[in-house]
């Protein structure tokens, strides 16, 4: 016999929004609820927000996400062993991080065909997703990956590929390009024709905003930059007489996830809404939800008490998963100290399995739908990102904006504001509950990588910013 709901309604009177405000004021011992008002990266956050009515869940490819492991060891033989251990240990995919990539952090696989073939030798391509993170030789690497696939002849329908071709990301992180804007504009569509002709499925072009985040940029700057890069991909297709609807399924995005749970969830949701708006303006529709890859942010990785990075990574993973990321890569917690060993890599791999297969974080589509606070934050972030997008477009697009330094100046302003805002922030292990004696963490020795590439065009590269800065702020 079930419990009659009316019994509960009689015992507990319904509370309205005003009642909640009174209760909040009393609990916080303040004069009015607006004293709890706050701001995140310039976005106004109301202390209490009513339930958002009429909001439908944002379309996402659910359930669950693909758990990626980085392959970034300059020692190719060791990297090949790591790749096999990771795929047998539960990883769904491998992210090939070559030297010069924005997320290689001074390391990375040698950018050679031999390195790619050696790492992938023995990997089941039908069960292991592959992606290449943007780096100066990305187009060559994409060609090598397709050659390897054609040589091994897997079932094309079972492949999950992402070749992260994104010139703007490379320019932003390295400060240089191998060819002029004119030569790039002329050569890229022609080289992509062969990739499209191969008929292989997956993401070919990417809009990668991770360099913006790791430089201390705001979420709005990340999204505005990524959106402008993706629009540039659409323009390139238009110039090659390809309808936007044809190339849109081949465009993906890469974002950072950090320890700010609400903002990260809102960021991933906002990107889907913004991209849908762009495609609508182009007269195109996306039959399948856009693919978004997430990587936990380098800027949250502390060198002090690095085990606390595991906690920050856990929050970032949960935020990306709840925000609807299709694939996620976790930076091992010792990456700020050097090249992570097998133990650190195993921890990052297990975090996926615990969050996904034991906690089932990926089973619900758009958990934030209808939440007053998260819907409000998503809306505010969409507006701020659209403003940044229009600024970049007004400056001639991402490459021109970077070349002039206009975009970098805005990111630097955000970085300075962030440092001011964080002066009183307590970060476990960094500036509060610090260890009296730091423990040494194991990292691997690795051969020095070559990061110099032929360059024709230069700009000021976006710097790396770190949570360690918090500890030094006065």
């Amino acid at each position: 016999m079930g419990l009659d709901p009316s019994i509960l309604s009689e015992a507990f009177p319904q509370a309205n929004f005003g009642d909640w405000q009174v209760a909040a004021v009393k609990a916080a011992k303040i004069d009015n609820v607006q004293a709890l008002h706050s701001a995140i990266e310039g976005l106004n956050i109301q202390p209490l927000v009513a339930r958002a009515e009429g909001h439908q869940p944002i379309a996402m490819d659910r359930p669950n996400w693909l758990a990626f492991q980085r392959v970034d060891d300059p020692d190719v033989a060791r990297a090949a062993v790591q790749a096999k251990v990771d795929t047998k240990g539960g990883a769904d995919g491998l992210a090939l991080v070559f030297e010069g990539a924005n997320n290689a952090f001074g390391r990375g696989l040698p950018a050679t065909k031999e390195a790619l073939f050696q790492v992938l030798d023995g990997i089941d391509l039908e069960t292991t997703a592959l992606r290449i993170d943007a780096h100066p030789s990305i187009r060559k690497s994409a060609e090598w990956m397709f050659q390897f696939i054609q040589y091994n002849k897997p079932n094309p329908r079972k492949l999950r590929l992402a070749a992260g071709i994104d010139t703007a990301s490379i320019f932003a992180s390295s400060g240089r390009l191998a060819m002029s804007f004119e030569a790039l504009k002329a050569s890229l569509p022609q080289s992509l024709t062969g990739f499209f002709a191969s008929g292989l499925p997956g993401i070919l072009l990417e809009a990668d905003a991770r360099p913006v985040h790791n430089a201390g940029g705001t979420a709005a700057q990340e999204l505005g930059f990524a959106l402008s890069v993706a629009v540039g991909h659409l323009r390139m297709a238009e110039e090659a007489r390809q309808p936007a609807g044809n190339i849109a399924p081949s465009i993906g995005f890469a974002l950072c996830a950090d320890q700010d749970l609400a903002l990260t969830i809102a960021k991933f949701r906002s990107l889907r809404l913004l991209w849908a708006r762009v495609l609508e303006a182009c007269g195109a529709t996306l039959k399948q939800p856009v693919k978004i890859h997430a990587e936990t942010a380098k800027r949250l990785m502390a060198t002090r008490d690095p085990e606390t990075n595991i906690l920050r990574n856990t929050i970032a993973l949960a935020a990306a998963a709840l925000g609807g990321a299709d694939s996620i890569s976790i930076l091992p917690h010792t990456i700020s100290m050097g090249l992570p060993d097998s133990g650190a890599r195993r921890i990052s791999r297990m975090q996926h399995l615990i969050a996904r297969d034991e906690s089932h974080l990926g089973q619900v589509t758009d958990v934030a739908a209808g939440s007053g606070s998260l819907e409000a934050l998503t809306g505010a972030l969409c507006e701020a990102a659209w403003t940044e997008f229009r600024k970049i477009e007004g400056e001639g697009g991402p490459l021109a904006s970077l070349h002039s330094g206009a975009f970098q100046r805005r990111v630097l302003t955000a970085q300075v504001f962030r440092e001011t805002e964080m002066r009183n922030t307590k970060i476990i292990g960094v500036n509060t509950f610090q260890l009296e004696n730091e423990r040494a963490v194991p990292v691997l020795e690795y051969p020095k990588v070559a990061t110099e590439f032929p360059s024709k065009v230069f700009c000021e590269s976006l710097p790396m910013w770190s949570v360690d800065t918090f500890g030094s702020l006065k």
Side-chain angles (χ1 to χ4, degrees), residues 80-121:
V81 173
Q82 291 172 345
K84 293 177 179 61
V85 169
D86 288 331
T87 53
K88 291 179 180 178
D92 304 305
L94 299 173
L96 305 184
V97 182
F98 288 94
E99 57 191 4
N102 71 73
N103 61 334
F105 313 126
R107 297 178 282 271
L109 287 169
T112 66
K113 179 178 178 179
E114 292 74 21
L116 184 144
F117 274 53
Q118 185 174 347
V119 165
L120 296 183
D121 184 38

mmCIF file of all heavy atoms in Angstrom, residues 80-121:
data_model
loop_
_atom_site.group_PDB
_atom_site.id
_atom_site.type_symbol
_atom_site.label_atom_id
_atom_site.label_comp_id
_atom_site.label_asym_id
_atom_site.label_seq_id
_atom_site.Cartn_x
_atom_site.Cartn_y
_atom_site.Cartn_z
ATOM 1 N N ALA A 80 54.174 3.486 -27.049
ATOM 2 C CA ALA A 80 53.434 2.377 -27.658
ATOM 3 C C ALA A 80 52.974 1.382 -26.594
ATOM 4 O O ALA A 80 51.856 0.869 -26.650
ATOM 5 C CB ALA A 80 54.297 1.681 -28.708
ATOM 6 N N VAL A 81 53.840 1.128 -25.615
ATOM 7 C CA VAL A 81 53.468 0.227 -24.512
ATOM 8 C C VAL A 81 52.345 0.853 -23.690
ATOM 9 O O VAL A 81 51.371 0.191 -23.332
ATOM 10 C CB VAL A 81 54.696 -0.069 -23.628
ATOM 11 C CG1 VAL A 81 54.284 -0.850 -22.386
ATOM 12 C CG2 VAL A 81 55.749 -0.838 -24.406
ATOM 13 N N GLN A 82 52.462 2.153 -23.393
ATOM 14 C CA GLN A 82 51.443 2.849 -22.624
ATOM 15 C C GLN A 82 50.085 2.785 -23.318
ATOM 16 O O GLN A 82 49.045 2.580 -22.670
ATOM 17 C CB GLN A 82 51.839 4.321 -22.424
ATOM 18 C CG GLN A 82 53.018 4.534 -21.502
ATOM 19 C CD GLN A 82 53.475 5.987 -21.490
ATOM 20 O OE1 GLN A 82 53.092 6.774 -22.362
ATOM 21 N NE2 GLN A 82 54.289 6.347 -20.515
ATOM 22 N N ALA A 83 50.081 2.945 -24.638
ATOM 23 C CA ALA A 83 48.825 2.927 -25.398
ATOM 24 C C ALA A 83 48.120 1.587 -25.259
ATOM 25 O O ALA A 83 46.899 1.523 -25.086
ATOM 26 C CB ALA A 83 49.103 3.238 -26.868
ATOM 27 N N LYS A 84 48.876 0.529 -25.306
ATOM 28 C CA LYS A 84 48.276 -0.809 -25.172
ATOM 29 C C LYS A 84 47.770 -1.054 -23.753
ATOM 30 O O LYS A 84 46.700 -1.637 -23.553
ATOM 31 C CB LYS A 84 49.292 -1.878 -25.589
ATOM 32 C CG LYS A 84 49.637 -1.849 -27.076
ATOM 33 C CD LYS A 84 50.696 -2.882 -27.423
ATOM 34 C CE LYS A 84 51.013 -2.850 -28.917
ATOM 35 N NZ LYS A 84 51.546 -1.537 -29.360
ATOM 36 N N VAL A 85 48.533 -0.602 -22.766
ATOM 37 C CA VAL A 85 48.099 -0.741 -21.369
ATOM 38 C C VAL A 85 46.805 0.034 -21.146
ATOM 39 O O VAL A 85 45.868 -0.460 -20.505
ATOM 40 C CB VAL A 85 49.198 -0.237 -20.409
ATOM 41 C CG1 VAL A 85 48.662 -0.132 -18.980
ATOM 42 C CG2 VAL A 85 50.407 -1.168 -20.446
ATOM 43 N N ASP A 86 46.721 1.231 -21.693
ATOM 44 C CA ASP A 86 45.547 2.076 -21.501
ATOM 45 C C ASP A 86 44.301 1.472 -22.149
ATOM 46 O O ASP A 86 43.224 1.465 -21.550
ATOM 47 C CB ASP A 86 45.793 3.470 -22.066
ATOM 48 C CG ASP A 86 46.754 4.281 -21.218
ATOM 49 O OD1 ASP A 86 46.798 4.047 -19.995
ATOM 50 O OD2 ASP A 86 47.452 5.152 -21.759
ATOM 51 N N THR A 87 44.430 0.988 -23.378
ATOM 52 C CA THR A 87 43.259 0.439 -24.067
ATOM 53 C C THR A 87 42.799 -0.865 -23.412
ATOM 54 O O THR A 87 41.600 -1.136 -23.341
ATOM 55 C CB THR A 87 43.554 0.217 -25.556
ATOM 56 O OG1 THR A 87 44.758 -0.571 -25.716
ATOM 57 C CG2 THR A 87 43.736 1.539 -26.280
ATOM 58 N N LYS A 88 43.748 -1.651 -22.924
ATOM 59 C CA LYS A 88 43.357 -2.885 -22.221
ATOM 60 C C LYS A 88 42.809 -2.589 -20.829
ATOM 61 O O LYS A 88 42.067 -3.390 -20.267
ATOM 62 C CB LYS A 88 44.563 -3.831 -22.130
ATOM 63 C CG LYS A 88 44.984 -4.416 -23.475
ATOM 64 C CD LYS A 88 46.197 -5.326 -23.317
ATOM 65 C CE LYS A 88 46.627 -5.907 -24.670
ATOM 66 N NZ LYS A 88 47.846 -6.751 -24.532
ATOM 67 N N GLY A 89 43.170 -1.424 -20.279
ATOM 68 C CA GLY A 89 42.763 -1.065 -18.926
ATOM 69 C C GLY A 89 41.497 -0.249 -18.848
ATOM 70 O O GLY A 89 41.163 0.248 -17.767
ATOM 71 N N GLY A 90 40.795 -0.083 -19.973
ATOM 72 C CA GLY A 90 39.504 0.586 -19.916
ATOM 73 C C GLY A 90 39.355 1.848 -20.725
ATOM 74 O O GLY A 90 38.247 2.383 -20.828
ATOM 75 N N ALA A 91 40.427 2.361 -21.318
ATOM 76 C CA ALA A 91 40.310 3.569 -22.134
ATOM 77 C C ALA A 91 39.581 3.255 -23.431
ATOM 78 O O ALA A 91 39.835 2.226 -24.075
ATOM 79 C CB ALA A 91 41.685 4.149 -22.434
ATOM 80 N N ASP A 92 38.677 4.146 -23.826
ATOM 81 C CA ASP A 92 37.947 3.980 -25.078
ATOM 82 C C ASP A 92 38.691 4.545 -26.273
ATOM 83 O O ASP A 92 38.405 4.193 -27.411
ATOM 84 C CB ASP A 92 36.586 4.694 -25.014
ATOM 85 C CG ASP A 92 35.751 4.228 -23.849
ATOM 86 O OD1 ASP A 92 35.525 3.014 -23.738
ATOM 87 O OD2 ASP A 92 35.322 5.077 -23.043
ATOM 88 N N GLY A 93 39.600 5.480 -26.014
ATOM 89 C CA GLY A 93 40.274 6.144 -27.112
ATOM 90 C C GLY A 93 41.648 6.643 -26.738
ATOM 91 O O GLY A 93 42.016 6.721 -25.555
ATOM 92 N N LEU A 94 42.428 6.972 -27.753
ATOM 93 C CA LEU A 94 43.774 7.495 -27.588
ATOM 94 C C LEU A 94 43.845 8.873 -28.231
ATOM 95 O O LEU A 94 43.429 9.044 -29.391
ATOM 96 C CB LEU A 94 44.813 6.568 -28.232
ATOM 97 C CG LEU A 94 44.903 5.151 -27.679
ATOM 98 C CD1 LEU A 94 45.859 4.306 -28.533
ATOM 99 C CD2 LEU A 94 45.358 5.163 -26.220
ATOM 100 N N ALA A 95 44.355 9.847 -27.491
ATOM 101 C CA ALA A 95 44.585 11.188 -28.020
ATOM 102 C C ALA A 95 46.076 11.321 -28.303
ATOM 103 O O ALA A 95 46.887 11.331 -27.371
ATOM 104 C CB ALA A 95 44.128 12.247 -27.016
ATOM 105 N N LEU A 96 46.442 11.390 -29.565
ATOM 106 C CA LEU A 96 47.846 11.491 -29.961
ATOM 107 C C LEU A 96 48.277 12.952 -29.849
ATOM 108 O O LEU A 96 47.785 13.819 -30.574
ATOM 109 C CB LEU A 96 48.033 10.977 -31.382
ATOM 110 C CG LEU A 96 47.527 9.550 -31.654
ATOM 111 C CD1 LEU A 96 47.861 9.125 -33.075
ATOM 112 C CD2 LEU A 96 48.109 8.560 -30.655
ATOM 113 N N VAL A 97 49.195 13.210 -28.926
ATOM 114 C CA VAL A 97 49.665 14.566 -28.668
ATOM 115 C C VAL A 97 51.103 14.666 -29.174
ATOM 116 O O VAL A 97 52.035 14.159 -28.542
ATOM 117 C CB VAL A 97 49.594 14.902 -27.166
ATOM 118 C CG1 VAL A 97 50.035 16.347 -26.924
ATOM 119 C CG2 VAL A 97 48.181 14.676 -26.641
ATOM 120 N N PHE A 98 51.271 15.305 -30.326
ATOM 121 C CA PHE A 98 52.597 15.419 -30.933
ATOM 122 C C PHE A 98 53.309 16.674 -30.445
ATOM 123 O O PHE A 98 52.697 17.611 -29.923
ATOM 124 C CB PHE A 98 52.471 15.449 -32.461
ATOM 125 C CG PHE A 98 52.104 14.123 -33.068
ATOM 126 C CD1 PHE A 98 50.777 13.802 -33.335
ATOM 127 C CD2 PHE A 98 53.084 13.190 -33.369
ATOM 128 C CE1 PHE A 98 50.435 12.579 -33.896
ATOM 129 C CE2 PHE A 98 52.753 11.961 -33.928
ATOM 130 C CZ PHE A 98 51.422 11.655 -34.188
ATOM 131 N N GLU A 99 54.624 16.690 -30.635
ATOM 132 C CA GLU A 99 55.427 17.847 -30.233
ATOM 133 C C GLU A 99 54.885 19.116 -30.893
ATOM 134 O O GLU A 99 54.465 19.116 -32.042
ATOM 135 C CB GLU A 99 56.888 17.627 -30.635
ATOM 136 C CG GLU A 99 57.087 17.375 -32.135
ATOM 137 C CD GLU A 99 58.486 16.903 -32.475
ATOM 138 O OE1 GLU A 99 59.279 16.697 -31.559
ATOM 139 O OE2 GLU A 99 58.763 16.737 -33.680
ATOM 140 N N GLY A 100 54.883 20.183 -30.126
ATOM 141 C CA GLY A 100 54.388 21.452 -30.646
ATOM 142 C C GLY A 100 52.902 21.660 -30.452
ATOM 143 O O GLY A 100 52.393 22.754 -30.711
ATOM 144 N N ALA A 101 52.163 20.620 -29.996
ATOM 145 C CA ALA A 101 50.734 20.773 -29.751
ATOM 146 C C ALA A 101 50.518 21.729 -28.578
ATOM 147 O O ALA A 101 51.343 21.814 -27.669
ATOM 148 C CB ALA A 101 50.095 19.427 -29.452
ATOM 149 N N ASN A 102 49.373 22.423 -28.584
ATOM 150 C CA ASN A 102 49.131 23.391 -27.516
ATOM 151 C C ASN A 102 49.020 22.715 -26.160
ATOM 152 O O ASN A 102 49.233 23.346 -25.129
ATOM 153 C CB ASN A 102 47.870 24.214 -27.816
ATOM 154 C CG ASN A 102 46.583 23.407 -27.685
ATOM 155 O OD1 ASN A 102 46.148 23.080 -26.588
ATOM 156 N ND2 ASN A 102 45.955 23.093 -28.810
ATOM 157 N N ASN A 103 48.693 21.419 -26.149
ATOM 158 C CA ASN A 103 48.568 20.698 -24.878
ATOM 159 C C ASN A 103 49.682 19.673 -24.689
ATOM 160 O O ASN A 103 49.532 18.738 -23.906
ATOM 161 C CB ASN A 103 47.200 20.009 -24.791
ATOM 162 C CG ASN A 103 46.995 18.984 -25.891
ATOM 163 O OD1 ASN A 103 47.595 19.082 -26.963
ATOM 164 N ND2 ASN A 103 46.142 18.004 -25.650
ATOM 165 N N ALA A 104 50.807 19.851 -25.395
ATOM 166 C CA ALA A 104 51.958 18.958 -25.199
ATOM 167 C C ALA A 104 52.798 19.419 -24.011
ATOM 168 O O ALA A 104 53.514 18.616 -23.406
ATOM 169 C CB ALA A 104 52.816 18.909 -26.458
ATOM 170 N N PHE A 105 52.756 20.709 -23.708
ATOM 171 C CA PHE A 105 53.458 21.290 -22.547
ATOM 172 C C PHE A 105 54.950 20.984 -22.569
ATOM 173 O O PHE A 105 55.544 20.592 -21.565
ATOM 174 C CB PHE A 105 52.828 20.797 -21.244
ATOM 175 C CG PHE A 105 51.321 20.874 -21.232
ATOM 176 C CD1 PHE A 105 50.557 19.755 -20.929
ATOM 177 C CD2 PHE A 105 50.669 22.059 -21.545
ATOM 178 C CE1 PHE A 105 49.173 19.816 -20.937
ATOM 179 C CE2 PHE A 105 49.280 22.126 -21.557
ATOM 180 C CZ PHE A 105 48.528 21.011 -21.244
ATOM 181 N N GLY A 106 55.549 21.168 -23.763
ATOM 182 C CA GLY A 106 56.987 20.975 -23.908
ATOM 183 C C GLY A 106 57.412 19.548 -24.148
ATOM 184 O O GLY A 106 58.608 19.256 -24.197
ATOM 185 N N ARG A 107 56.438 18.647 -24.299
ATOM 186 C CA ARG A 107 56.775 17.245 -24.550
ATOM 187 C C ARG A 107 56.061 16.806 -25.827
ATOM 188 O O ARG A 107 55.928 17.570 -26.754
ATOM 189 C CB ARG A 107 56.384 16.399 -23.332
ATOM 190 C CG ARG A 107 57.153 16.793 -22.073
ATOM 191 C CD ARG A 107 56.740 15.986 -20.862
ATOM 192 N NE ARG A 107 55.501 16.414 -20.266
ATOM 193 C CZ ARG A 107 55.401 17.342 -19.319
ATOM 194 N NH1 ARG A 107 56.484 17.966 -18.896
ATOM 195 N NH2 ARG A 107 54.239 17.646 -18.789
ATOM 196 N N GLY A 108 55.634 15.571 -25.910
ATOM 197 C CA GLY A 108 54.863 15.127 -27.065
ATOM 198 C C GLY A 108 55.597 14.129 -27.940
ATOM 199 O O GLY A 108 56.827 14.053 -27.955
ATOM 200 N N LEU A 109 54.813 13.350 -28.678
ATOM 201 C CA LEU A 109 55.381 12.391 -29.624
ATOM 202 C C LEU A 109 56.157 13.104 -30.728
ATOM 203 O O LEU A 109 55.771 14.207 -31.135
ATOM 204 C CB LEU A 109 54.257 11.588 -30.287
ATOM 205 C CG LEU A 109 53.523 10.529 -29.475
ATOM 206 C CD1 LEU A 109 52.286 10.058 -30.247
ATOM 207 C CD2 LEU A 109 54.440 9.350 -29.191
ATOM 208 N N PRO A 110 57.230 12.498 -31.241
ATOM 209 C CA PRO A 110 57.886 13.083 -32.411
ATOM 210 C C PRO A 110 56.894 13.148 -33.571
ATOM 211 O O PRO A 110 56.125 12.212 -33.788
ATOM 212 C CB PRO A 110 59.020 12.090 -32.708
ATOM 213 C CG PRO A 110 59.252 11.362 -31.427
ATOM 214 C CD PRO A 110 57.915 11.279 -30.759
ATOM 215 N N ALA A 111 56.896 14.257 -34.272
ATOM 216 C CA ALA A 111 55.934 14.445 -35.370
ATOM 217 C C ALA A 111 56.430 13.738 -36.625
ATOM 218 O O ALA A 111 56.824 14.365 -37.612
ATOM 219 C CB ALA A 111 55.725 15.926 -35.627
ATOM 220 N N THR A 112 56.388 12.395 -36.593
ATOM 221 C CA THR A 112 56.827 11.584 -37.727
ATOM 222 C C THR A 112 55.811 10.489 -38.020
ATOM 223 O O THR A 112 55.068 10.057 -37.127
ATOM 224 C CB THR A 112 58.186 10.922 -37.453
ATOM 225 O OG1 THR A 112 58.040 9.977 -36.382
ATOM 226 C CG2 THR A 112 59.242 11.960 -37.094
ATOM 227 N N LYS A 113 55.811 10.058 -39.241
ATOM 228 C CA LYS A 113 54.941 8.959 -39.642
ATOM 229 C C LYS A 113 55.307 7.686 -38.887
ATOM 230 O O LYS A 113 54.429 6.911 -38.474
ATOM 231 C CB LYS A 113 55.059 8.743 -41.146
ATOM 232 C CG LYS A 113 54.228 7.602 -41.706
ATOM 233 C CD LYS A 113 54.404 7.516 -43.215
ATOM 234 C CE LYS A 113 53.615 6.354 -43.805
ATOM 235 N NZ LYS A 113 53.769 6.289 -45.281
ATOM 236 N N GLU A 114 56.601 7.468 -38.690
ATOM 237 C CA GLU A 114 57.064 6.261 -38.010
ATOM 238 C C GLU A 114 56.541 6.210 -36.574
ATOM 239 O O GLU A 114 56.154 5.146 -36.071
ATOM 240 C CB GLU A 114 58.602 6.214 -38.002
ATOM 241 C CG GLU A 114 59.239 6.004 -39.378
ATOM 242 C CD GLU A 114 59.179 7.226 -40.270
ATOM 243 O OE1 GLU A 114 59.021 8.349 -39.725
ATOM 244 O OE2 GLU A 114 59.288 7.076 -41.506
ATOM 245 N N ALA A 115 56.530 7.359 -35.890
ATOM 246 C CA ALA A 115 56.042 7.395 -34.512
ATOM 247 C C ALA A 115 54.565 7.034 -34.448
ATOM 248 O O ALA A 115 54.142 6.249 -33.593
ATOM 249 C CB ALA A 115 56.274 8.781 -33.916
ATOM 250 N N LEU A 116 53.775 7.591 -35.354
ATOM 251 C CA LEU A 116 52.343 7.291 -35.360
ATOM 252 C C LEU A 116 52.094 5.814 -35.631
ATOM 253 O O LEU A 116 51.290 5.165 -34.945
ATOM 254 C CB LEU A 116 51.636 8.163 -36.399
ATOM 255 C CG LEU A 116 50.115 8.044 -36.466
ATOM 256 C CD1 LEU A 116 49.470 9.396 -36.784
ATOM 257 C CD2 LEU A 116 49.677 7.019 -37.520
ATOM 258 N N PHE A 117 52.790 5.258 -36.613
ATOM 259 C CA PHE A 117 52.595 3.851 -36.966
ATOM 260 C C PHE A 117 53.023 2.936 -35.815
ATOM 261 O O PHE A 117 52.358 1.936 -35.524
ATOM 262 C CB PHE A 117 53.383 3.508 -38.234
ATOM 263 C CG PHE A 117 52.642 3.793 -39.513
ATOM 264 C CD1 PHE A 117 52.087 5.039 -39.760
ATOM 265 C CD2 PHE A 117 52.497 2.812 -40.479
ATOM 266 C CE1 PHE A 117 51.398 5.306 -40.927
ATOM 267 C CE2 PHE A 117 51.812 3.067 -41.652
ATOM 268 C CZ PHE A 117 51.265 4.319 -41.880
ATOM 269 N N GLN A 118 54.120 3.285 -35.132
ATOM 270 C CA GLN A 118 54.606 2.448 -34.033
ATOM 271 C C GLN A 118 53.640 2.464 -32.856
ATOM 272 O O GLN A 118 53.367 1.421 -32.244
ATOM 273 C CB GLN A 118 55.989 2.911 -33.585
ATOM 274 C CG GLN A 118 56.626 2.009 -32.529
ATOM 275 C CD GLN A 118 58.054 2.406 -32.215
ATOM 276 O OE1 GLN A 118 58.674 3.187 -32.936
ATOM 277 N NE2 GLN A 118 58.598 1.877 -31.123
ATOM 278 N N VAL A 119 53.096 3.627 -32.538
ATOM 279 C CA VAL A 119 52.169 3.744 -31.406
ATOM 280 C C VAL A 119 50.874 2.985 -31.686
ATOM 281 O O VAL A 119 50.322 2.328 -30.796
ATOM 282 C CB VAL A 119 51.871 5.230 -31.101
ATOM 283 C CG1 VAL A 119 50.647 5.364 -30.203
ATOM 284 C CG2 VAL A 119 53.072 5.884 -30.446
ATOM 285 N N LEU A 120 50.380 3.057 -32.910
ATOM 286 C CA LEU A 120 49.096 2.436 -33.233
ATOM 287 C C LEU A 120 49.208 0.962 -33.622
ATOM 288 O O LEU A 120 48.184 0.277 -33.747
ATOM 289 C CB LEU A 120 48.409 3.211 -34.366
ATOM 290 C CG LEU A 120 48.006 4.656 -34.045
ATOM 291 C CD1 LEU A 120 47.267 5.262 -35.233
ATOM 292 C CD2 LEU A 120 47.161 4.713 -32.785
ATOM 293 N N ASP A 121 50.417 0.480 -33.798
ATOM 294 C CA ASP A 121 50.599 -0.914 -34.163
ATOM 295 C C ASP A 121 50.038 -1.829 -33.063
ATOM 296 O O ASP A 121 50.406 -1.720 -31.890
ATOM 297 C CB ASP A 121 52.090 -1.217 -34.362
ATOM 298 C CG ASP A 121 52.327 -2.643 -34.845
ATOM 299 O OD1 ASP A 121 51.522 -3.139 -35.658
ATOM 300 O OD2 ASP A 121 53.302 -3.274 -34.380
#
